[in-house]
């Protein structure tokens, strides 16, 4: 189920953020979306809070075609 995949990707983000960045990275919006010829994309400050325009989030989009590959890849 796609929701479980997104939850797992968020969990992994938090583990890596704590281990390598001392929890200094802002939590991104993580999406699953197909895009030809790309493993995924990153957009800086692409999400804007409708009530607080100065509150933005980065977006990480992962192509679902590559989620079932071995982790080494």
């Amino acid at each position: 189920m796609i929701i479980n995949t997104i939850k797992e990707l968020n969990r992994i983000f938090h583990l890596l953020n704590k281990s390598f960045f001392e929890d200094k990275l802002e939590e991104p919006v993580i999406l699953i979306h197909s895009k030809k010829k790309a493993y995924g994309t990153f957009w800086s400050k692409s999400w804007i809070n409708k009530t607080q325009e100065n509150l933005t989030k980065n977006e990480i989009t992962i192509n679902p075609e590559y989620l079932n590959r071995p982790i080494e890849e």
Side-chain angles (χ1 to χ4, degrees):
M1 186 172 214
I2 204 83
I3 293 171
N4 291 336
T5 302
I6 292 172
K7 285 180 182 180
E8 181 65 9
L9 291 170
N10 276 296
R11 187 186 73 76
I12 293 167
F13 168 81
H14 288 286
L15 286 172
L16 294 173
N17 190 18
K18 184 175 183 176
S19 296
F20 296 105
F21 302 100
E22 300 173 345
D23 278 333
K24 292 181 181 175
L25 297 178
E26 296 176 22
E27 183 176 3
V29 174
I30 298 177
L31 303 171
I32 307 292
H33 180 69
S34 293
K35 186 158 182 124
K36 289 185 178 184
K37 299 183 183 180
Y39 293 114
T41 57
F42 173 83
W43 294 96
S44 178
K45 307 295 183 191
S46 63
W47 287 72
I48 301 171
N49 186 312
K50 289 182 179 181
T51 58
Q52 298 174 326
E53 289 187 14
N54 61 336
L55 181 61
T56 60
K57 285 194 170 204
N58 298 323
E59 175 187 312
I60 297 173
T61 303
I62 311 240
N63 188 331
E65 294 179 30
Y66 300 102
L67 288 175
N68 288 331
R69 296 179 112 184
I71 195 149
E72 294 81 13
E73 292 183 21

